[in-house]
Amino acid sequence: MRAFQVLSAGQAAALTNCPTPEPGAGEIRVKIEACGLNFADLLLEQGKYQDTPQAPFVLGMEVAGVVDALGPGVAGPVAGTRVAVFGGQGGLAEYGCFPADRAVPLPDAMSAEDAAAFQIAYGTSHLALDHRARMQPGETLLVLGAAGGVGLTAVEIGKLMGATVIACARGQDKLEIARQAGADHLIDAKTEDIRDRVKALGGADVVYDPVGGEQWQAAFRACNPEARLLPIGFASGDVPQIPANHLLVKNLSVLGVYWGGYLKFRPEAVTGSLRTLLGWYQDGRLKPHVSHILPLERAREGLELLRSRKSTGKVVITP
């Protein structure tokens, strides 16, 4: 089969031919129809992600496809079932073997492309806003990187949860996508002062930040008392340092969010969240935004779209 593999630590991934894997105990094999790209794939390739496996390994954290074979001791989902799986690796290939207990059966109406774009982005935002921040209707949510893979889902989910949503992104084209997703107010990070604009709108009760750097600092200074700040990632490359004395004075809370970590210590939080999200999808309340769908041989191009921030929503690869 073809696979987009990191062959040795720190080496750029390349399209290779390798044996089709056989499922082990507790695993299913999936004929992969679509794989969603994530910023974490860039970090995995560089060996900088917190869960980087030992090389060689195949990039691609989340997939959708059809169950093709079952490993020893696995009763289901049975062969032929359409599923989405978060595997953490192995998705940029024609076949992949993944833990059976992570497979989520898909609604008939859900395309493979939507399913591959769904779990991490929507799961992260829902878990962050609902489980971690306990966001309430009527609160003001500031979303940084609001047109990106996770940011856009935070706009959608924040609006569904009854928040007033302030979307911050770079450029009017990206802000228009955030507006279509439900944002109430728009801030252009290229031309406007984030702190001044947010404070003029009444301040932020919850900050959702996949960017870090200067935007984090501006948002931090625009928080209302008892605001909750959610560091989701650091697409800017700058991990902010948080002044504890400012947390104390304004009674602020910083709540780290790593969606994949919950699969290890509290998987029921993830499965419950996904049930809610799939219900919203079936009701037509969520509409995944996929800006690019590319074949496997263009996986490098897809990663570069993420690196250069030229994509909006998700980039999906179809083996």
Side-chain angles (χ1 to χ4, degrees):
M1 70 171 189
R2 297 180 305 154
F4 195 65
Q5 270 189 310
V6 174
L7 294 173
S8 61
Q11 180 182 340
L15 191 62
T16 64
N17 283 299
C18 59
T20 301
E22 293 296 329
E27 292 185 331
I28 56 172
R29 186 172 66 197
V30 176
K31 180 176 172 55
I32 297 170
E33 296 179 339
C35 175
L37 295 186
N38 293 274
F39 191 81
D41 287 307
L42 295 170
L43 300 178
L44 280 165
E45 185 178 38
Q46 298 165 12
K48 296 179 179 179
Y49 193 59
Q50 57 262 29
D51 282 336
T52 300
Q54 185 173 353
F57 65 92
V58 176
L59 287 178
M61 302 180 77
E62 57 181 334
V63 304
V66 179
V67 177
D68 168 73
L70 307 180
V74 177
V78 299
T81 304
R82 297 179 65 244
V83 296
V85 186
F86 169 78
Q89 59 171 301
L92 288 175
E94 294 174 326
Y95 292 86
C97 293
F98 308 101
D101 59 6
R102 292 191 184 182
V104 179
L106 296 178
D108 291 340
M110 192 176 213
S111 69
E113 292 79 8
D114 276 2
F118 197 83
Q119 285 194 91
I120 293 176
Y122 281 104
T124 295
S125 292
H126 185 253
L127 206 66
L129 298 176
D130 183 61
H131 179 71
R132 294 293 280 149
R134 306 291 183 188
M135 191 173 69
Q136 300 300 307
E139 290 193 303
T140 296
L141 167 66
L142 170 62
V143 180
L144 305 178
V150 289
L152 197 59
T153 64
V155 172
E156 274 190 279
I157 291 171
K159 197 63 184 170
L160 282 176
M161 292 178 65
T164 297
V165 179
I166 305 172
C168 180
R170 297 180 65 83
Q172 292 303 311
D173 290 347
K174 290 185 176 182
L175 287 172
E176 174 58 22
I177 290 169
R179 186 194 65 77
Q180 292 175 14
D184 298 286
H185 305 285
L186 307 174
I187 299 175
D188 190 338
K190 290 201 304 187
T191 60
E192 297 183 83
D193 187 298
I194 296 171
R195 173 180 177 269
D196 288 350
R197 284 278 284 118
V198 174
K199 287 182 73 70
L201 292 167
D205 300 308
V206 178
V207 174
Y208 182 100
D209 179 21
V211 179
E214 293 181 357
Q215 291 192 31
W216 166 278
Q217 301 297 344
F220 188 89
R221 296 169 64 202
C223 283
N224 293 327
E226 294 194 328
R228 289 87 74 204
L229 297 100
L230 301 159
I232 306 297
F234 312 105
S236 68
D238 183 353
V239 179
Q241 302 304 300
I242 301 167
N245 58 323
H246 291 190
L247 297 178
L248 181 153
V249 170
K250 294 185 72 173
N251 292 289
L252 303 179
S253 300
V254 178
L255 305 167
V257 182
Y258 172 37
W259 182 81
Y262 275 89
L263 292 167
K264 299 176 182 178
F265 71 90
R266 195 172 173 186
E268 70 276 9
V270 172
T271 54
S273 172
L274 285 174
R275 279 196 297 270
T276 297
L277 291 166
L278 286 170
W280 285 349
Y281 178 91
Q282 288 181 284
D283 292 341
R285 302 174 74 188
L286 296 176
K287 297 179 180 179
H289 178 85
V290 178
S291 65
H292 296 79
I293 299 174
L294 302 171
L296 185 60
E297 57 268 22
R298 294 174 65 186
R300 171 59 56 196
E301 180 182 337
L303 290 174
E304 290 305 318
L305 287 167
L306 296 187
R307 191 191 312 276
S308 63
R309 302 192 207 179
K310 292 181 179 178
S311 60
T312 54
K314 294 285 282 191
V315 176
V316 170
I317 305 298
T318 54

